[in-house]
Amino acid sequence: MNDAYFRRVGAARPSHLMFSGGVGALVDLPNFSVLVRGLESWNYTGLTENYLVDEPRLREAVNRRLRRYTPGEKVTELRSAPWADGGDSNPKGNEAQQIGVPVVPFPQWLRCTACNELAGIDAGTFKFVNQNPRTPHEAKFIHDCKPKAKRKPLAVAARFTLVCTDGHLDEFPYRAFAHYGAACPEAPRPRMRMIDHGGNQAANVTIKCLACPANRNIREAMGETGQRNLPACRGRHPHLGTFAAGGCGLAAIVLVAGASNQWFPITLNALALPPSKTEDINKVVEERWTELHMITDLNIHTAMAQAPSYRYLEQYDPAELIAAVNARRAGVNTAAAAPTDGRVDLLTPEWDLFTCAQLPQPTEDFALVEATVPGPLKGLFADVRQVERLREARALVGFTRLDAPDPEDPALVKQVELSSRPRNWVPASEVRGEGIFLRVQDELVADWLAHAEQSEVLSAHRGAYAQFRTNRHSDRLTGDFDPMKHWPGARYIALHTLSHLLIRTIALECGYNSASLAERIYAGDDDDPRTGILLYTAVPDAEGTLGGLVSLAEEPHFERIVRRALTDARHCSQDPLCSERLPQAPYDYLHGAACHVCLFLSETTCERGNRFLDRRFLVPLDDDPKLLLTPAELVS
């Protein structure tokens, strides 16, 4: 809120500030909505609690994604949201005034629920009330249009905003719109009224001037035709408090405040892994400098190596590690130069660790245990490993509006920055949990790919992918366009489908909420034949973090779950519509035999938004048995 209020107006979980209401997003409160401000407004002064999220791999990935390679511009910290005790007990104290995630009311045009008067917050028409510090959700704006009433009428946000494809957000120009772009002939700042006529066809709201007869329905601003009735985008970023010099120039689009396409986060997430024995010592020192910079002699090394979180130090020769630390202190950087293409690969180190012959020493953040592959499943899985402990760190690096970001092709959509100038930190959060890692038999996949690559089914998926990317491609982008760029391939579709089947079965049979689980698909290509799945808990609560998920990898549970998953996949209540579905022109959906009944999961669980799924790669839906990755004895 504005500094004049010095009050809390609500509460949000750390995950909400990452995926639903982060920087630049509108957050709906009970009585009005607010916009989360940019990073320059976040204040950590006086915080005694540790707010840093330490994950070197994620920091490196953030810098590559933001293309920051010079030491002075690099992101060196991942910070959780600022928070401190005392906001409830002492609302006017330093903690309540300065510590917290800063927000500003938006839209700043409000409408009285009693008389329909429409005015901006700065007009003085409405009064902000937030008397009880222990109930911040009661914060509200009121209108004194009924002086004798005991309860003053509530003023709520006027729900229309303007956005553009470059990610700008602005207030709807109510006065100019009602007067067809001209000024009111009777008053420079006339009083306005917003009258909602109801109905379920579309927005049916009249904006009326009280100083002159001018009035206009908001429907005249909707759609492609309505864009001609609106001014061009002014290039405003309200989370930064900036306007583009000379305006943006793009067409402004009307959106209802709270629309799902008003804000899409751009996030990166990585598992906290112990360093590998084969990893270059200089790279380890570079990535973990914040925790290793103090190891300058053998005594310090010995003392730190005894701590559980630093047990990985035993994997390295103390003399070599101390020499690398001292070399970096002297300014000698022996680490390899960072790539300049902006690509981020967080999966390769995880795959190398999950599939290594010698399991790493357990740490507070990671513990991997070998499990037995049940005999009937040895034709499908080469390894089953229990991840008894894991920590996942997540970072917010930007956001988009109108169009969701494409993780495989970031240039398709304009990314909005979190601050007006580069800062050395980005918002982050972390969760702890457990998981199950599965590696599919390499020989099985190789034989299956030889037939699947030539099938009509995969040809249909390829065509749909090309059509999807063509439809998404913006005319504003220059340069060559390859519609098949980043095509995931048949291997990914089969693994992704198997992952969804297992998650749905775990949720149905074992009582887990499917939204509390997540997936990571390790699908390579001909040059990198990795084929694996990680199913893990990914929510900051107690569900699935006490061994419940890990125990499912043991006999007889795991065999039963896999068999039931494949059995249930053979039938869907939407069949034959679902089983016969293949993406065909002019449609560009990226799934085959898959729907909400049989395969789709929540957005928090699926890493690809329920794309690249097809049951026919795992269970017999067609007459072609060679199209099945699953061994015949498991689907008979």
Side-chain angles (χ1 to χ4, degrees):
M1 292 290 293
N2 188 289
D3 290 342
Y5 299 121
F6 297 142
R7 295 290 174 88
R8 289 175 53 205
V9 294
R13 298 179 66 178
S15 58
H16 183 88
L17 292 171
M18 293 290 298
F19 301 105
S20 302
V23 173
L26 290 177
V27 179
D28 285 328
L29 301 178
N31 299 313
F32 59 101
S33 61
V34 294
L35 181 84
V36 181
R37 300 184 65 178
L39 299 186
E40 41 267 289
S41 300
W42 292 36
N43 190 352
Y44 291 84
T45 304
L47 281 183
T48 57
E49 298 293 332
N50 184 14
Y51 53 81
L52 296 180
V53 176
D54 181 36
E55 178 40 50
R57 289 200 311 125
L58 185 58
R59 283 201 304 268
E60 182 65 21
V62 168
N63 283 310
R64 292 185 184 183
R65 181 65 176 81
L66 297 177
R67 297 179 181 271
R68 297 185 189 174
Y69 305 120
T70 25
E73 295 182 355
K74 274 191 171 185
V75 170
T76 58
E77 294 180 351
L78 307 174
R79 297 184 180 182
S80 58
W83 179 85
D85 289 322
D88 291 337
S89 59
N90 186 15
K92 294 185 179 181
N94 184 66
E95 295 86 357
Q97 294 181 20
Q98 298 185 10
I99 304 301
V101 178
V103 298
V104 61
F106 198 94
Q108 295 200 342
W109 279 75
L110 306 178
R111 175 185 65 86
C112 175
T113 55
C115 67
N116 291 322
E117 180 153 355
L118 179 69
I121 292 177
D122 59 351
T125 305
F126 307 110
K127 179 183 178 182
F128 178 71
V129 178
N130 187 10
Q131 300 294 340
N132 192 342
R134 296 186 181 275
T135 56
H137 57 277
E138 294 180 356
K140 59 186 176 181
F141 288 90
I142 60 174
H143 187 209
D144 195 13
C145 60
K146 294 184 178 182
K148 296 183 179 181
K150 292 184 179 180
R151 299 187 64 178
K152 302 300 181 184
L154 187 67
V156 297
R159 62 183 186 270
F160 300 104
T161 62
L162 295 182
V163 298
C164 80
T165 52
D166 266 3
H168 296 117
L169 174 68
D170 206 349
E171 302 277 356
F172 188 88
Y174 293 104
R175 288 197 180 100
F177 177 74
H179 294 88
Y180 292 83
C184 176
E186 303 295 334
R189 292 172 62 90
R191 293 174 58 194
M192 307 295 293
R193 183 166 292 166
M194 173 183 282
I195 304 172
D196 193 340
H197 304 286
N200 56 5
Q201 294 297 318
N204 189 12
V205 177
T206 296
I207 310 300
K208 180 178 176 60
C209 178
L210 300 183
C212 71
N215 68 88
R216 200 174 187 184
N217 197 292
I218 205 77
R219 283 188 293 192
E220 296 185 36
M222 298 292 185
E224 295 182 4
T225 303
Q227 291 182 13
R228 294 192 291 268
N229 298 324
L230 294 172
C233 176
R234 298 189 297 172
R236 183 186 183 193
H237 285 311
H239 69 292
L240 304 177
T242 61
F243 285 87
C248 168
L250 296 177
I253 300 171
V254 178
L255 278 188
V256 176
S260 60
N261 62 339
Q262 195 167 80
W263 187 84
F264 296 99
I266 301 177
T267 60
L268 296 173
N269 61 320
L271 301 181
L273 305 178
S276 170
K277 291 184 177 180
T278 60
E279 194 169 4
D280 181 73
I281 189 67
N282 293 300
K283 182 178 179 182
V284 173
V285 171
E286 178 71 21
E287 292 183 346
R288 297 179 176 265
W289 179 247
T290 55
E291 60 188 60
L292 300 182
H293 69 280
M294 63 184 69
I295 305 180
T296 55
D297 58 53
L298 185 59
N299 293 330
I300 298 177
H301 176 276
T302 303
M304 290 186 63
Q306 294 176 355
S309 57
Y310 294 98
R311 195 159 293 163
Y312 66 85
L313 294 178
E314 298 174 356
Q315 303 181 63
Y316 303 99
D317 181 82
E320 292 183 4
L321 181 64
I322 293 170
V325 171
N326 290 330
R328 193 184 188 286
R329 279 179 171 272
V332 180
N333 185 10
T334 56
T340 58
D341 59 1
R343 295 297 305 278
V344 176
D345 180 14
L346 291 168
L347 298 182
T348 297
E350 297 172 11
W351 171 261
D352 292 341
L353 193 65
F354 284 132
T355 58
C356 63
Q358 183 178 356
L359 299 185
Q361 290 291 327
T363 67
E364 291 182 345
D365 295 332
F366 189 84
L368 191 63
V369 176
E370 188 77 49
T372 302
V373 182
L377 300 183
K378 289 185 177 179
L380 178 59
F381 297 115
D383 291 309
V384 175
R385 291 183 169 178
Q386 299 166 299
V387 190
E388 293 185 340
R389 290 192 299 274
L390 62 80
R391 178 171 66 92
E392 182 185 36
R394 303 160 172 174
L396 178 69
V397 297
F399 65 90
T400 66
R401 301 198 193 276
L402 290 181
D403 294 316
D406 187 339
E408 300 297 340
D409 199 350
L412 282 178
V413 184
K414 175 71 173 181
Q415 174 178 324
V416 183
E417 301 300 328
L418 303 180
S419 57
S420 55
R421 58 181 179 82
R423 308 188 74 82
N424 70 332
W425 64 275
V426 293
S429 66
E430 61 181 354
V431 292
R432 296 180 182 272
E434 57 184 331
I436 302 173
F437 174 76
L438 311 171
R439 184 166 71 91
V440 180
Q441 290 284 1
D442 295 338
E443 298 80 4
L444 176 67
V445 176
D447 294 340
W448 173 76
L449 281 174
H451 178 77
E453 291 290 348
Q454 308 300 323
S455 67
E456 295 181 359
V457 172
L458 195 61
S459 296
H461 279 280
R462 286 197 191 96
Y465 181 77
Q467 186 66 45
F468 175 84
R469 278 183 50 82
T470 301
N471 293 344
R472 291 261 299 175
H473 185 255
S474 174
D475 294 336
R476 296 177 286 108
L477 300 177
T478 59
D480 297 333
F481 172 69
D482 179 8
M484 293 304 297
K485 187 177 181 180
H486 304 307
W487 158 246
R491 188 195 310 257
Y492 184 91
I493 298 175
L495 285 175
H496 195 205
T497 304
L498 178 60
S499 172
H500 278 225
L501 290 177
L502 294 175
I503 289 176
R504 289 176 66 94
T505 304
I506 289 172
L508 290 174
E509 179 172 320
C510 306
Y512 285 102
N513 181 352
S514 64
S516 69
L517 302 174
E519 63 181 1
R520 291 174 89 82
I521 310 299
Y522 303 92
D525 49 31
D526 294 337
D527 299 326
D528 179 19
R530 66 178 79 169
T531 311
I533 302 168
L534 174 66
L535 308 178
Y536 64 106
T537 54
V539 290
D541 57 24
E543 182 176 318
T545 59
L546 300 176
L549 180 60
V550 166
S551 65
L552 300 182
E554 300 172 355
E555 297 185 279
H557 308 299
F558 187 59
E559 180 183 349
R560 185 185 69 253
I561 289 171
V562 174
R563 287 189 178 277
R564 178 175 176 180
L566 296 174
T567 300
D568 291 348
R570 299 186 65 170
H571 305 284
C572 173
S573 60
Q574 294 291 333
D575 288 342
L577 295 177
C578 178
S579 62
E580 295 177 355
R581 182 186 294 114
L582 262 181
Q584 297 176 351
Y587 305 109
D588 64 354
Y589 52 80
L590 299 181
H591 63 272
C595 67
H596 287 282
V597 176
C598 60
L599 274 185
F600 288 177
L601 296 171
S602 64
E603 293 182 358
T604 58
T605 299
C606 179
E607 68 176 23
R608 286 297 191 102
N610 287 319
R611 298 168 181 162
F612 309 112
L613 297 166
D614 199 328
R615 286 186 290 144
R616 58 172 53 86
F617 285 139
L618 295 177
V619 293
L621 300 181
D622 298 330
D623 296 331
D624 187 358
K626 293 184 179 181
L627 196 59
L628 303 182
L629 174 64
T630 315
E633 58 269 19
L634 293 180
V635 294
S636 58

